[in-house]
Amino acid sequence: MPKKERHIVTKENFATARRWRGWLAVLSVGLLVLTGLGQGWTVPTAQAARAMPASFADLVEKLSPAVVNVSTTQKVKVRQGIRGLPPGSPFEEFFDQFFKNRRPNGRQNRNPGGDDDGTVTRRLRSLGSGFIIDPKGYIVTNNHVVQGADKITVRTQDGEEYEAKIVGRDREVDIALLKVEADKPLPHVEWGDSGKVRVGDWVLAIGNPFGLGGTVTAGIISARHRDISDSPYADFLQTDASINRGNSGGPMFNLDGRVVGINTAIFSPTGGNVGIGFAIPANQARKVVAQLREFGYAKRGYLGVTIQPIDKVTAEALGLEKPEGAIVAQVSPDSPAAKGGIRPGDVIIAFNGKPISDSNDLVRAVSDAGVGKKVTVDILRNGKRMTVSVTTAERPKSLTVGEQESGEEGAPGEDTLSSTLGMDLSNLNDSLREQFDIPPSIDGVLITDVSRFAAMRGFRPGDVILEVTGRRVKSVADVRQAIAALKKEGRKAALLRILRDEQYLFLSIPLERDEEED
């Protein structure tokens, strides 16, 4: 019988076999791909994303005529004095008296052309940018470019100069609308949809940096929804397109040649460009500009509530899974919220069907709703979700959004009210009411002293506790019972409604502490 051939597997031929199997697999896949291509399949490529153009020149040539330089002059009074002397110093007083005594009539004569109070009127000049949105001569820029100006001059790309008048200004969003009278239709640009802008999209910035005239820079959208100011309306686009002083008010374009933002601010330790610029989104700006054109100011919706943000401790005190929404600290009498049944302590979690993530989100949603609009408001009250209907009014110009101070967790002590809350409490009497100016109509518990722990949560001596997590309190015993009930329920924090200087606030405080901070 012939011998059967034995196949001995060694490291060498095993590796060779693996390589052959690998090549066969590649060939099989290659044949499959080629076969697929024959059947109409396509291979995905990077062409699905919009490529960077070889040049922006055609786009710039089309857009630049609608971008203008905005220059302003403003009269200001400046105090004159000996250079190098700090105001109010003894040397300044000495030299003032010295010059005064040298004059025959005893009056100071080192301020020619100035006033008797030692000031002189000077003209300050500032430069910015803007863009034409209507051939009739309507121009958009930043409010801070024209604020306080006595004279505004607009210069177009072809060198024509026009004196501009302010149609309306909005300080909250930092937008101004100007109008010039021209004897011909002016070139203009169109608004784009900033809601469709994505991080990584190409953008162009055209403006008047440092007064040099029309200057173009390119970059990408670096981020969205940046909050860089105290305004609840702050919602900026961030870009690395070079923006410098003088670019304020200029347009940011997408590659379709539409305005997606208004260049407004930069972040810089030196005052120059470091690749971090900010623009007001076009969708926000367009609404404000339309109202400035129609009314001369921005009309905003109004609920009539003072609201506060919700942090983790407050969320725990309210029994919320996560810190979302806005808590109602106070409801104005006869306001839309009061008429709709909204109460202090309610947590607004949605407005007109839109989820509310924080207090600023609510302010923007109410503002955008307009005036006289019937909307729905979803709230949490004592852990139960409910929906109320509200008709918005016009927001008063003096309204501000209350803010809650943040704090840190602190320390345990003995299981007493003072050590738990980190504050000393007292029942109200006539003497304390007079000392802390508390009206007789107010029932509550007075905070007479606070530890560092309570102070870091925002509490102050003189605050009057009105409620503890929804429970009305009129005595120290009431507070003690409310805290005990919360602990029994397993709550780790309490939410106190307080009265301070005629303002109602909600402040939260942990009921469990790990380290002494008093």
Side-chain angles (χ1 to χ4, degrees):
M1 292 181 63
K3 290 185 178 180
K4 290 185 178 180
E5 187 176 355
R6 297 179 63 187
H7 296 279
I8 301 174
V9 179
T10 65
K11 289 183 179 180
E12 289 75 17
N13 59 27
F14 180 72
T16 302
R18 289 185 61 185
R19 283 196 296 271
W20 274 107
R21 284 197 298 270
W23 281 109
L24 288 172
V26 171
L27 288 171
S28 299
V29 173
L31 289 172
L32 179 62
V33 171
L34 290 173
T35 305
L37 288 173
Q39 296 174 353
W41 292 3
T42 58
V43 179
T45 68
Q47 294 176 353
R50 188 165 186 173
M52 178 182 178
S55 171
F56 296 113
D58 291 340
L59 194 58
V60 171
E61 185 177 359
K62 174 185 175 183
L63 300 174
S64 292
V67 182
V68 299
N69 299 345
V70 180
S71 62
T72 66
T73 58
Q74 179 181 1
K75 294 179 181 179
V76 295
K77 284 190 174 184
V78 181
R79 180 173 176 80
Q80 298 292 289
I82 302 297
R83 290 188 177 182
L85 296 181
S89 69
F91 294 102
E92 182 187 43
E93 183 179 351
F94 169 78
F95 280 106
D96 281 348
Q97 188 64 36
F98 173 77
F99 282 109
K100 182 177 180 180
N101 291 337
R102 291 192 63 183
R103 292 202 60 194
N105 58 2
R107 293 183 61 188
Q108 194 171 347
N109 190 30
R110 59 186 178 90
N111 184 26
D115 298 331
D116 291 341
D117 60 358
T119 62
V120 64
T121 300
R122 290 184 176 176
R123 289 184 178 272
L124 292 183
R125 301 181 184 274
S126 64
L127 298 171
S129 306
F131 55 99
I132 306 170
I133 60 168
D134 189 297
K136 295 180 180 179
Y138 286 95
I139 298 169
V140 175
T141 187
N142 281 137
N143 174 62
H144 74 260
V145 171
V146 299
Q147 186 173 7
D150 298 311
K151 183 179 179 181
I152 304 171
T153 303
V154 169
R155 184 176 183 178
T156 59
Q157 185 191 40
D158 58 9
E160 293 287 338
E161 289 191 354
Y162 304 92
E163 185 171 345
K165 295 182 179 179
I166 296 177
V167 177
R169 299 187 297 115
D170 183 57
R171 186 176 59 182
E172 297 274 12
V173 181
D174 195 11
I175 290 177
L177 181 64
L178 311 178
K179 178 72 165 63
V180 298
E181 299 297 335
D183 56 4
K184 60 182 179 181
L186 297 176
H188 67 286
V189 290
E190 302 287 343
W191 293 106
D193 186 354
S194 60
K196 294 182 179 179
V197 171
R198 302 168 61 198
V199 174
D201 281 352
W202 283 99
V203 288
L204 295 178
I206 305 180
N208 179 34
F210 303 110
L212 294 173
T215 300
V216 183
T217 57
I220 63 170
I221 296 294
S222 305
R224 299 182 57 187
H225 306 300
R226 288 297 196 206
D227 183 357
I228 61 169
S229 74
D230 294 332
S231 171
Y233 304 101
D235 186 25
F236 290 91
L237 298 173
Q238 181 181 326
T239 181
D240 68 347
S242 183
I243 297 175
N244 290 284
R245 295 176 182 175
N247 275 108
S248 290
M252 175 189 289
F253 294 103
N254 61 16
L255 294 190
D256 292 324
R258 293 181 176 270
V259 178
V260 293
I262 302 175
N263 302 319
T264 299
I266 62 173
F267 177 83
S268 173
T270 62
N273 172 63
V274 293
I276 304 177
F278 302 96
I280 302 168
N283 290 1
Q284 182 183 27
R286 183 172 58 241
K287 295 176 183 177
V288 174
V289 168
Q291 292 183 341
L292 294 180
R293 186 168 180 174
E294 184 175 358
F295 307 111
Y297 67 98
K299 275 190 170 184
R300 294 188 167 92
Y302 171 64
L303 272 185
V305 294
T306 301
I307 55 175
Q308 297 176 224
I310 298 176
D311 60 12
K312 290 183 179 180
V313 177
T314 306
E316 172 63 33
L318 291 168
L320 303 177
E321 293 182 0
K322 49 186 177 180
E324 288 185 344
I327 187 170
V328 178
Q330 186 174 355
V331 179
S332 300
D334 201 35
S335 66
K339 294 175 181 178
I342 296 177
R343 305 174 187 172
D346 289 346
V347 178
I348 298 177
I349 56 176
F351 183 85
N352 216 22
K354 176 189 174 185
I356 298 300
S357 59
D358 54 33
S359 56
N360 284 351
D361 199 18
L362 177 62
V363 173
R364 288 191 288 265
V366 174
S367 172
D368 291 343
V371 180
K373 304 295 183 181
K374 189 172 183 179
V375 298
T376 58
V377 182
D378 293 353
I379 61 175
L380 288 177
R381 179 180 295 166
N382 298 326
K384 296 181 179 179
R385 180 166 183 153
M386 56 191 302
T387 302
V388 298
S389 294
V390 175
T391 301
T392 61
E394 184 175 346
R395 178 179 180 265
K397 296 180 181 179
S398 60
L399 184 69
T400 58
V401 179
E403 294 184 355
Q404 177 180 337
E405 296 180 43
S406 61
E408 299 177 5
E409 293 189 359
E414 301 174 0
D415 193 15
T416 65
L417 189 61
S418 178
S419 62
T420 298
L421 299 181
M423 59 185 76
D424 294 336
L425 307 179
S426 177
N427 294 327
L428 285 173
N429 54 40
D430 292 341
S431 176
L432 290 175
R433 288 182 185 276
E434 182 178 357
Q435 179 182 349
F436 290 93
D437 195 22
I438 301 170
S441 59
I442 298 299
D443 289 325
V445 179
L446 180 68
I447 300 177
T448 58
D449 194 16
V450 296
S451 66
R452 180 173 178 266
F453 163 69
M456 293 179 69
R457 293 301 307 171
F459 294 93
R460 305 175 188 172
D463 289 347
V464 179
I465 301 174
L466 305 176
E467 297 178 7
V468 177
T469 314
R471 296 177 172 89
R472 289 283 299 168
V473 293
K474 298 183 179 181
S475 66
V476 176
D478 290 344
V479 176
R480 184 178 292 107
Q481 291 174 3
I483 296 298
L486 290 175
K487 288 185 174 182
K488 188 175 181 180
E489 294 171 7
R491 296 286 187 93
K492 297 180 180 179
L495 185 68
L496 277 58
R497 185 179 185 227
I498 66 169
L499 175 66
R500 176 188 298 164
D501 298 330
E502 300 182 356
Q503 292 290 322
Y504 293 90
L505 302 171
F506 280 98
L507 298 178
S508 57
I509 193 163
L511 300 180
E512 298 178 0
R513 292 177 270 169
D514 298 327
E515 297 179 359
E516 182 65 44
E517 289 196 5
D518 292 349

